[in-house]
């Protein structure tokens, strides 16, 4: 458990990556009570200095005794690194908030979105998992609707930005776009096909059931976070040539009838959600507007006229913020509140 202190020694593991970079900025923007910031990455980043507040901080390579004296470590260096280093960090007495998929479905590890299940932080044993980016933005919207009308089933299709794959994918979309506009051949290193001016119905590995791992993360993580195994979720996850922000089309079937206006009212009062829905004025959330924002934006709220109790909507959130760095920092803030 985290001890109450005025300021904390904080580490970011994976500090040079797409999420790590946002973690550093988020700690600074939210005035997190940082006594000292330690930054870790791979051998490749040896010698690099990263900016935090007015100082330049050297990037370190994690070692067995690196985590001694660190209070909170935010991990975003991939599942394999989390498998190895998170238990070592937790064993050194530091609380780990892990962004990778490594610990999410471990029954001993809470999977937390602070607006939805902050109570689960009480039973952590040193590691807390941050959910998948597409799951986080979906559950902040589903939970208040579930409380109001009990959700039976969700059909979700995602439109996910390349930054969800990390820095190399951001660079690949940029490079392919430049090459295509200059009539040059494109190289595909990150995705199996060209992503510029294209759409790929494929995120993460394919599983035996025909779904991808990303799709099954949305199914399983939703049940664990909301704490209700009866919610049925079916997902299709799609990569689109957008740099930042995941969009999702949600079809929600509820037990109790709930009208679009009631959904608007429920979501207007929900933490971390902004209803942005006036189609007559072309008002609906889009990635370029939501990039850099902390909340999940909801629009296109309308009735599914093909079933008795159905609602359709369109949600957009910044995958690097609410989908990753911000949610992790909010978890750390809650831990301090509860200390
Ligand atoms: N991007 C998202 O929207 C998102 C959302 C939720 C969760 N996540 C998860 O967050 C993690 C990082 O994602 P990302 O998008 O930031 O990836 P990324 O841009 O590829 O960054 C990966 C980071 O991990 C570091 N790293 C790699 N190998 C390492 C090692 N052996 N020891 C220490 N550090 C090492 C890299 O350091 P170098 O620069 O030195 O290689 C870099 O800082 C992944 O587990 C991902 O699934 C990402």
């Amino acid at each position: 458990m985290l001890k109450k202190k005025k300021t904390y020694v904080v580490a970011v593991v994976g500090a040079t990556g797409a999420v790590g970079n946002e973690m550093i900025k988020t700690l600074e923007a939210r005035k997190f009570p940082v006594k000292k910031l330690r930054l870790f990455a791979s051998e490749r980043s040896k010698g690099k200095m990263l900016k935090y507040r007015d100082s330049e901080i050297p990037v370190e390579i994690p070692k067995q005794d690196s985590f001694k004296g660190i209070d909170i470590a935010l991990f975003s260096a991939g599942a394999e690194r989390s498998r190895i280093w998170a238990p070592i960090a937790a064993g050194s007495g530091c609380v780990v908030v892990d962004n990778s998929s490594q610990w999410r479905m471990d029954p001993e590890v809470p999977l937390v979105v602070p607006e939805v299940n902050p109570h689960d932080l009480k039973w952590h044993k040193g590691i807390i998992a941050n959910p998948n980016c597409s799951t986080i933005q979906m559950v902040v919207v589903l939970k208040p609707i579930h409380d109001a009308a009990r959700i039976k089933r969700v059909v979700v299709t995602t439109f996910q930005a390349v930054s969800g794959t990390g820095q190399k994918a951001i660079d690949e979309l940029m490079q392919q776009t430049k090459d295509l506009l200059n009539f040059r051949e494109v190289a595909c290193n990150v995705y199996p096909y060209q992503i510029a001016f294209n759409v790929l119905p494929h995120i993460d590995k394919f599983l035996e059931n025909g779904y991808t791992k990303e799709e099954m993360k949305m199914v399983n993580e939703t049940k664990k976070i909301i704490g209700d195994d009866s919610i049925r979720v079916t997902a299709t996850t799609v990569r689109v040539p957008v740099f930042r922000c995941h969009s999702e089309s949600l079809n929600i079937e509820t037990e109790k009838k709930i009208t679009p206006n009631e959904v608007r009212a429920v979501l207007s009062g929900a933490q971390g959600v902004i209803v942005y829905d006036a189609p007559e004025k072309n008002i609906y959330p889009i990635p370029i507007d939501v990039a850099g924002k902390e909340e999940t934006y909801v629009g296109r709220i309308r009735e599914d006229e093909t079933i008795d109790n159905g609602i359709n909507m369109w949600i957009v959130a910044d995958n690097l913020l609410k989908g990753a760095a911000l949610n992790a920092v909010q978890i750390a803030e809650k831990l301090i509140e509860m200390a």
Side-chain angles (χ1 to χ4, degrees):
M1 282 293 161
L2 197 68
K3 289 200 187 97
K4 191 91 185 162
K5 293 183 184 176
K6 264 196 172 149
T7 52
Y8 296 84
V9 180
V10 179
V12 174
V13 182
T16 52
V19 174
N21 180 40
E22 292 300 326
M23 283 173 165
I24 299 169
K25 286 192 204 158
T26 304
L27 289 168
E28 184 168 341
R30 292 177 71 90
K31 300 190 170 53
F32 194 87
V34 176
K35 181 177 179 192
K36 184 177 183 193
L37 185 63
R38 307 257 313 267
L39 303 176
F40 295 92
S42 80
E43 288 280 348
R44 288 178 290 274
S45 301
K46 217 174 176 173
K48 259 195 192 165
M49 303 289 284
L50 298 177
K51 201 178 162 301
Y52 172 70
R53 293 185 186 154
D54 293 328
S55 59
E56 297 272 326
I57 301 179
V59 175
E60 304 174 58
I61 320 298
K63 296 194 185 74
Q64 202 72 23
D65 61 355
S66 295
F67 296 93
K68 283 194 187 131
I70 294 175
D71 300 302
I72 304 165
L74 308 177
F75 271 64
S76 70
E80 183 53 19
R81 266 70 63 190
S82 292
R83 187 182 68 74
I84 298 167
W85 292 108
I88 293 172
S92 304
C94 115
V95 181
V96 173
V97 182
D98 182 39
N99 252 276
S100 81
S101 56
Q102 176 62 35
W103 304 101
R104 288 183 192 148
M105 295 312 293
D106 187 319
E108 297 289 299
V109 174
L111 181 65
V112 176
V113 177
E115 294 89 339
V116 179
N117 61 334
H119 49 271
D120 282 329
L121 288 173
K122 286 190 198 127
W123 54 269
H124 83 81
K125 299 180 172 73
I127 303 175
I128 296 146
N130 210 46
N132 173 260
C133 41
S134 21
T135 311
I136 295 179
Q137 68 183 74
M138 181 168 78
V139 295
V140 293
V141 172
L142 293 186
K143 179 62 165 53
I145 299 173
H146 190 55
D147 290 343
R150 231 184 146 70
I151 295 173
K152 283 164 64 179
R153 180 169 184 256
V154 180
V155 182
V156 53
T157 305
T158 68
F159 304 73
Q160 296 180 226
V162 293
S163 53
T165 316
Q167 191 56 47
K168 284 189 183 135
I170 300 172
D171 298 341
E172 180 150 306
L173 173 58
M174 186 75 85
Q175 190 58 46
Q176 287 183 351
T177 306
K178 281 188 207 159
D179 287 342
L180 285 161
L181 294 177
N182 286 288
F183 306 101
R184 290 193 294 255
E185 288 259 316
V186 298
C188 303
N189 297 313
V190 176
Y191 301 116
Y193 299 101
Q194 175 189 315
I195 184 63
F197 307 100
N198 204 5
V199 163
L200 309 178
H202 173 188
I203 298 185
D204 212 329
K205 294 191 180 79
F206 281 103
L207 301 171
E208 268 186 14
N209 65 359
Y211 287 84
T212 63
K213 267 175 93 175
E214 182 84 354
E215 288 159 355
M216 294 315 294
K217 283 177 201 167
M218 295 188 80
V219 172
N220 298 323
E221 292 180 19
T222 299
K223 293 174 198 241
K224 180 167 176 179
I225 300 162
I226 296 185
D228 188 341
D229 269 347
S230 72
I231 300 179
R232 285 173 292 157
V233 178
T234 184
T236 304
T237 56
V238 181
R239 188 73 66 193
V240 294
V242 164
F243 283 108
R244 200 162 166 148
C245 287
H246 292 348
S247 305
E248 296 177 5
S249 156
L250 298 184
N251 174 262
I252 302 165
E253 187 177 354
T254 53
E255 214 165 273
K256 210 178 115 200
K257 178 93 189 155
I258 185 162
T259 66
N261 273 339
E262 285 166 343
V263 170
R264 275 185 206 102
V266 163
L267 293 181
S268 296
Q271 240 189 314
V273 177
I274 290 188
V275 175
Y276 191 69
D277 191 24
E280 67 288 355
K281 291 186 226 150
N282 290 347
I283 285 180
Y284 41 76
I286 52 174
I288 55 171
D289 286 346
V290 176
K293 304 264 171 41
E294 295 196 341
E295 298 84 0
T296 298
Y297 281 65
V298 187
R300 304 287 327 275
I301 300 169
R302 62 211 190 275
E303 192 162 342
D304 173 356
E305 294 172 341
T306 66
I307 51 174
D308 288 340
N309 302 332
I311 289 287
N312 284 312
M313 65 181 66
W314 173 255
I315 68 172
V316 183
D318 189 322
N319 57 298
L320 293 177
L321 289 179
K322 189 56 192 166
L326 173 66
N327 198 69
V329 173
Q330 286 172 324
I331 288 175
E333 288 170 350
K334 269 273 172 260
L335 287 169
I336 292 178
E337 219 177 281
M338 289 161 63

